[in-house]
Amino acid sequence: MNENKRQDLLNRMRGLQKDVERGRVVRSEQAATQTFVRSQPAFTDLAEYKQVAMQQFASQQLGMENPFYRAHEGASGATAQIGGKSFDNFASYDYLGLNQHPRVIAHASKALADFGVSASASRVVAGERTIHGELEASLAEIYQTEAAVCFVSGYLTNVAAIGCLMGPKDLVIHDEFIHNSALTGIKLSGANRRFFKHNDCADLERILLSLAGDYERILVISEGIYSMDGDIADLPGLLRLKKQFNFWLMMDEAHSLGVLGDTGRGIFEHYDVASSEVDIWMGTLSKTTCSCGGYIAGSKALITLLKAQAGGFVYSVGLAPALAAAAIASLDILREEPRRTHALRRNSQSFLEHAKERGLDTGLSEGYSVVPVLVADSLRSVQLSNELFAAGVNVLPIIYPAVPEGLARLRFFITSAHTEEQIKRTVDLTAEILGRLKEQNFGIGSMDVKLVMAQLAKL
C-alpha cells in the first residue's frame, strides 16, 4: 500500500471532514508560533494521594497495623489460613460454602483439561466456547428470563451494561447507596443522574414526578441486598412505581443470589413476584457461585444488544472456561440443596440477634448474609479489626472514603458453613474490644492535632 492510499484509508477510518482537518492544521500552526509552558503535578502532589498518606500517618502514630491485603494461604471460607495460623473468617463471599466443594473443583478441573486456561480471545472474535452458552442458559433458568450474558468482571458488568444502554439524552436514578460500579457506568454513559434516598420509594416517586417527562429513556437502579448495610430493597414499591412511570428497572443481585428466597433464587423469589417484572437482572459470579465475573439476565432483545454493542463484552476476552464451569456447578448445587440457603439464613439471623443482645449497632441489617457493626470512627474501626485478628477472627473495616466519616464499620459476611460457636465467640469478642476502645477514647479524637497538621504541611 503506497503512502497516498494509506493516508486516504486512515482519513476514512477516522471520519475526518475537510473543514475539521483544516481547523486542526490552523490551530497547530498558531500553537507552533507561541511559547507553551505548563506544569504537570507529581503523583505525590495529588490531593487523593495526600488523603491516603494522612490515613497511613495517623495509623502509624497510633501504632496500628494495616489490616488490608493480608495474604491467605489456601482456600478461604468460614475459616482462613493466614501467616500459618487458622482464623474464624468473616471476610468471605463464599455464602453457601461451595468454594472447596469437590463437585465444583472437579467441574472446573475438567474444563481446564478440555478448554485450557483461557478463552484466548474476545467471544465475538474466536473466544466463544460451548461452556459459555451452558452457563448463560443456567443463569437464564435461575432468573426465569429469555437469555443471559456473562462478563469477565462483576464491576465491568455494571459499567458496560449501563454505558451501552444509556446516553446523554437519558436519565438514571439510583439508590444513594448504590455500588461504585454502577456510578462509573452512569458516568461513562453520559446520562443525567439523580439519586433517591436509601430504599425510599416516596423520594423516588418525587423525582419521577418532576423529571419523568423530560427524558427519552429512564433507568432506575437498586440492589437486592445492600453490600454495606445488609438490608433488602423494597422491590414491591419499585414495581409499583415502574407500572406508573414506565421506566426500566435494574436490580443488582450480587449479594442476593443464593441468599434470598426459599431456594436462593434472589429477591424476586423473596417477594414472590414474577421475575419478568424486572427488566435487567445483574449479578456477580464471585459470591454464591464461587467464581469470578458478572452477568446480565433479561429479554432476548436486551442480551442480543449487549452482546453486539457493550464494549466490556465485545472488547474483552471471554470468561475463562474453568471459571464458567465452577459457576455452573455452583448453580446446580444451589438448585439441588436449598438447605444451604436455609443454613445461611439461620446463621445470619443468629449473628444479628446476638449482636443486638450485646448492644452492638448493626445499622440497617436484616440478617441476610451481611451484618455491619457500626463503629463511627475510622481509626477505631481499624484497631478493632486488628485486635480481633490478634484474637483469631478475620474481619475487615470499611472506612472513609468508602463510607462517610462517622459511619465507619466492620462488615461481617456470614456463610452457611459458620458454626454457632464461631458466631457467638466473634460477637462477644467484638463487643468486649469495642467497649474498651470506647472507654479509652481510641480514635481520631485522641490524635495530636498539631502533629497531624504539621505532617499535612509536609505532604
Side-chain angles (χ1 to χ4, degrees), residues 39-77:
S39 61
Q40 178 78 1
F43 293 119
T44 52
D45 294 329
L46 299 179
E48 297 90 336
Y49 168 78
K50 291 182 178 182
Q51 177 183 312
V52 175
M54 279 307 303
Q55 288 178 334
Q56 293 174 342
F57 174 75
S59 297
Q60 291 169 2
Q61 290 302 307
L62 292 172
M64 296 190 304
E65 293 183 9
N66 185 347
F68 306 108
Y69 303 109
R70 289 183 177 126
H72 291 225
E73 297 134 12
S76 294

Side-chain angles (χ1 to χ4, degrees), residues 15-31:
L16 297 177
Q17 297 176 355
K18 290 183 179 180
D19 56 338
V20 174
E21 176 64 18
R22 189 160 45 245
R24 184 190 67 80
V25 172
V26 171
R27 289 193 298 273
S28 298
E29 291 173 349
Q30 290 174 343

Side-chain angles (χ1 to χ4, degrees), residues 26-38:
V26 171
R27 289 193 298 273
S28 298
E29 291 173 349
Q30 290 174 343
T33 63
Q34 300 173 356
T35 302
F36 184 74
V37 179
R38 69 177 301 275

Side-chain angles (χ1 to χ4, degrees), residues 322-336:
L323 294 177
I328 291 168
S330 296
L331 290 172
D332 287 344
I333 296 170
L334 170 64
R335 291 183 186 89
E336 297 166 12

Side-chain angles (χ1 to χ4, degrees), residues 119-342:
S120 303
S122 163
R123 287 173 61 183
V124 176
V125 179
E128 185 76 11
R129 301 292 180 268
T130 53
I131 203 164
H132 293 142
E134 185 181 345
L135 173 57
E136 289 165 351
S138 182
L139 286 164
E141 190 279 328
I142 286 284
Y143 283 98
Q144 300 170 8
T145 60
E146 293 178 345
V149 59
C150 291
F151 295 77
V152 292
S153 158
Y155 192 98
L156 179 68
T157 302
N158 265 335
V159 173
I162 298 169
C164 174
L165 295 171
M166 308 303 287
K169 295 181 180 180
D170 305 324
L171 173 66
V172 180
I173 313 175
H174 62 84
D175 189 290
E176 64 179 318
F177 292 166
I178 204 70
H179 193 267
N180 178 268
S181 58
L183 295 177
T184 302
I186 298 167
K187 184 177 180 180
L188 173 67
S189 74
N192 297 275
R193 179 176 73 90
R194 297 289 187 276
F195 68 83
F196 60 95
K197 295 176 184 178
H198 179 54
N199 230 355
D200 187 339
C201 284
D203 193 47
L204 172 58
E205 183 174 16
R206 178 187 61 80
I207 296 170
L208 288 164
L209 283 169
S210 62
L211 295 175
D214 298 339
Y215 296 94
E216 181 178 345
R217 307 174 188 179
I218 297 178
L219 174 66
V220 173
I221 310 176
S222 180
E223 294 183 26
I225 292 180
Y226 281 86
S227 60
M228 290 291 180
D229 294 277
D231 56 336
I232 303 173
D234 179 9
L235 181 58
L238 293 170
L239 293 176
R240 176 181 61 80
L241 292 177
K242 182 178 183 296
K243 290 177 182 177
Q244 180 180 352
F245 293 97
N246 198 27
F247 52 75
W248 289 333
L249 178 60
M250 180 177 186
M251 295 300 301
D252 182 336
E253 289 281 88
H255 293 271
S256 305
L257 180 64
V259 178
L260 294 180
D262 189 57
T263 63
R265 288 177 181 248
I267 195 169
F268 77 90
E269 185 181 39
H270 176 80
Y271 283 112
D272 192 24
V273 301
S275 67
S276 58
E277 294 193 48
V278 172
D279 302 282
I280 306 169
W281 291 104
M282 177 272 170
T284 57
L285 298 171
S286 55
K287 279 78 175 176
T288 287
T289 56
C290 295
S291 182
C292 191
Y295 59 86
I296 297 287
S299 70
K300 185 176 181 180
L302 168 67
I303 302 309
T304 299
L305 172 60
L306 293 177
K307 284 188 173 183
Q309 295 190 9
F313 178 85
V314 175
Y315 300 107
S316 289
V317 70
L319 188 67
L323 294 177
I328 291 168
S330 296
L331 290 172
D332 287 344
I333 296 170
L334 170 64
R335 291 183 186 89
E336 297 166 12
E337 301 181 17
R339 61 179 177 79
R340 292 178 180 270
T341 296
H342 301 163

Side-chain angles (χ1 to χ4, degrees), residues 348-398:
S348 299
Q349 291 294 324
S350 175
F351 191 103
L352 181 65
E353 291 168 7
H354 193 51
K356 288 182 175 179
E357 289 171 0
R358 291 303 309 264
L360 295 171
D361 185 353
T362 55
L364 302 173
S365 179
E366 298 181 42
Y368 291 94
S369 70
V370 180
V371 182
V373 170
L374 273 63
V375 179
D377 186 294
S378 288
L379 295 179
R380 187 177 296 168
S381 297
V382 172
Q383 183 65 13
L384 175 57
S385 173
N386 282 340
E387 292 199 27
L388 283 169
F389 186 78
V393 176
N394 184 51
V395 58
L396 276 293
I398 306 296

